[in-house]
């Protein structure tokens, strides 16, 4: 037997959502995933075993996607309009870097992975120049 | 025979493309609200009636249910500005296209921050919302019983 409230209850949830960012940002997260991709490509060059290659490709896709995610978060949430003064080519930098991630996904060329690392280093410089380390990281405790 | 008067087609805001009335009739007609960006008027847990037949952005002050750009989350906000309106930004202004609305949270920024929230997730974050994202207009609260009534348009 249905209760009245079961019949009347809403069918769908809508989100009046706010955001809860932790405020921690560091291009290092993207770099580590990009380094993974670099190492995987390096190892693929030295090992032609088909099972190894299959696993390597799968893992590279995964890590590259994570690199892209970390870059997206930096772009959307860390960088603000006022940073454009210090980093006028900000948007282009991120556009190129995320496109490079897509390239690395498909590539077995170490040069592509190297290029991605260089692009992330550029972004790291922008993050540092805009006060990223001081503003967004929790300092290590000194003894 | 005289020419018929031209219809005001150029001035009409665009409608949701590719969503037939039959599809719109499927709803949602009843929704429950989660999270707090629309307080104090709309509280988490409120049961709302929605009109999903709307084809165009309702007028300013209306509460709308829509698919958030990028996230595809079903969200609820208020129409702060509609097609053709001008929105003031920190650095200048924006004029909305004929199928765009500027949707804002109701909760004051201070309250959101105090509750641990960050920057508001509304048009200030994702910009104008195209009418294709529109799902319906929330017009009535039917739960909880002590707060039953039509939703106020405009603050």
């Amino acid at each position: 037997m249905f209760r009245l409230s079961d019949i009347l209850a809403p069918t769908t949830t809508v989100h009046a959502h706010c955001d809860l960012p932790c405020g921690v940002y560091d291009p290092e997260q993207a770099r580590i995933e990009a380094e993974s991709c670099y190492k995987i490509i390096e190892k693929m060059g030295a090992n032609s075993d088909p099972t190894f290659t299959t696993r390597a490709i799968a893992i590279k896709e995964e890590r590259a996607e994570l690199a892209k995610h970390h870059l997206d978060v930096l772009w959307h949430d860390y960088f603000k309009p006022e940073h454009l003064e210090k980093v006028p080519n900000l948007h282009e930098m991120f556009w190129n870097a995320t496109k490079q991630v897509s390239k690395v996904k498909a590539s077995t060329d170490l040069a592509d992975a190297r290029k991605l690392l260089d692009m992330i280093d550029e972004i790291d410089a922008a993050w540092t120049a805009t006060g990223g380390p001081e503003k967004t990281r929790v300092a290590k405790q000194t003894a | 025979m005289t020419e018929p008067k031209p219809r005001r087609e150029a001035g009409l805001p665009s409608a949701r493309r590719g969503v037939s009335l039959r599809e719109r009739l499927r709803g949602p007609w009843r929704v429950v609200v989660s999270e707090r960006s629309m307080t104090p008027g709309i509280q988490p847990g409120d049961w709302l009636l929605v009109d999903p037949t709307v084809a165009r952005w309702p007028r300013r002050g209306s509460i709308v249910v829509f698919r958030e750009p990028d996230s595809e989350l079903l969200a609820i906000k208020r129409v702060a500005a509609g097609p053709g309106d001008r929105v003031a930004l920190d650095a200048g202004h924006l004029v909305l296209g004929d199928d765009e609305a500027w949707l804002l949270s109701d909760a004051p920024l201070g309250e959101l921050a105090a509750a641990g929230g960050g920057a508001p997730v509304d048009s200030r974050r994702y910009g104008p919302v195209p009418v294709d994202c529109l799902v319906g207009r929330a017009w009535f609260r039917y739960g909880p019983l002590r707060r039953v009534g039509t939703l106020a348009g405009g603050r």
Side-chain angles (χ1 to χ4, degrees):
Chain A
M1 184 73 170
F2 285 112
R3 291 200 326 248
L4 190 62
S5 59
D6 290 335
I7 300 169
L8 294 178
T11 55
T12 311
T13 302
V14 292
H15 295 266
H17 87 102
C18 325
D19 203 19
L20 198 74
C22 56
V24 175
Y25 305 102
D26 194 328
E28 195 63 23
Q29 286 179 301
R31 197 185 209 274
I32 288 177
E33 302 304 343
E35 282 180 37
S36 241
C37 295
Y38 182 95
K39 286 291 190 179
I40 288 170
I41 292 177
E42 201 176 56
K43 288 178 199 289
M44 278 171 79
N47 186 341
S48 55
D49 173 63
T51 307
F52 177 83
T53 306
T54 307
R55 292 186 64 217
I57 290 173
I59 295 172
K60 181 158 67 78
E61 286 283 324
E62 234 178 65
R63 301 338 278 190
E65 192 56 31
L66 284 168
K68 205 182 242 191
H69 166 74
H70 290 308
L71 289 175
D72 275 341
V73 169
L74 278 167
W75 184 60
H76 283 119
D77 295 338
Y78 167 70
F79 283 102
K80 307 269 181 300
E82 52 267 27
H83 293 151
L84 283 169
E85 279 175 67
K86 276 216 170 92
V87 195
N89 64 330
L90 182 75
H91 299 312
E92 210 184 303
M93 226 167 47
F94 273 97
W95 195 49
N96 290 334
T98 44
K99 283 196 176 297
Q100 190 64 20
V101 173
S102 298
K103 203 159 189 206
V104 167
K105 273 189 185 180
S107 173
T108 49
D109 188 350
L110 214 49
D112 289 332
R114 178 85 251 167
K115 192 166 182 200
L116 176 60
L117 289 172
D118 293 340
M119 287 178 164
I120 294 175
D121 289 340
E122 237 193 287
I123 289 172
D124 191 279
W127 174 72
T128 306
T130 51
E134 303 80 42
K135 288 190 218 149
T136 74
R137 297 300 310 273
V138 178
K140 286 199 174 91
Q141 293 209 317
T142 45
Chain B
M1 189 150 109
T2 51
E3 286 275 320
K5 282 204 178 127
R7 292 173 57 207
R8 233 178 23 95
E9 271 168 325
L12 276 181
S14 300
R16 290 156 78 182
R17 281 178 300 245
V19 186
S20 63
L21 180 60
R22 166 183 258 134
E23 279 174 67
R24 283 184 263 141
L25 285 173
R26 278 161 55 193
W29 292 89
R30 306 191 305 276
V31 299
V32 58
V33 177
S34 96
E35 301 174 78
R36 355 188 45 93
S37 73
M38 294 300 282
T39 57
I42 297 177
Q43 299 286 336
D46 280 0
W47 288 3
L48 307 181
L49 294 183
V50 170
D51 172 10
T53 66
V54 290
R56 296 189 165 81
W57 285 114
R59 64 168 173 216
R60 256 175 280 162
S62 303
I63 310 264
V64 289
V65 172
F66 61 101
R67 293 244 164 248
E68 220 177 57
D70 304 335
S71 81
E72 298 299 308
L73 196 73
L74 203 59
I76 182 165
K77 296 287 174 196
R78 193 181 296 272
V79 178
D85 287 346
R86 176 189 264 234
V87 176
L89 301 173
D90 286 339
H93 68 270
L94 173 73
V95 177
L96 295 172
D98 77 346
D99 73 338
E100 292 178 327
W102 193 259
L103 306 179
L104 293 183
S105 313
D106 274 356
L109 284 177
E111 226 175 84
L112 285 176
V121 185
D122 52 31
S123 281
R124 286 171 286 194
R125 162 76 67 95
Y126 43 71
V129 183
V131 73
D132 290 342
C133 294
L134 176 61
V135 165
R137 183 178 75 93
W139 60 280
F140 190 83
R141 175 175 32 247
Y142 71 106
L145 279 174
R146 69 182 184 284
R147 294 172 57 239
V148 163
T150 37
L151 296 177
R155 292 191 237 184

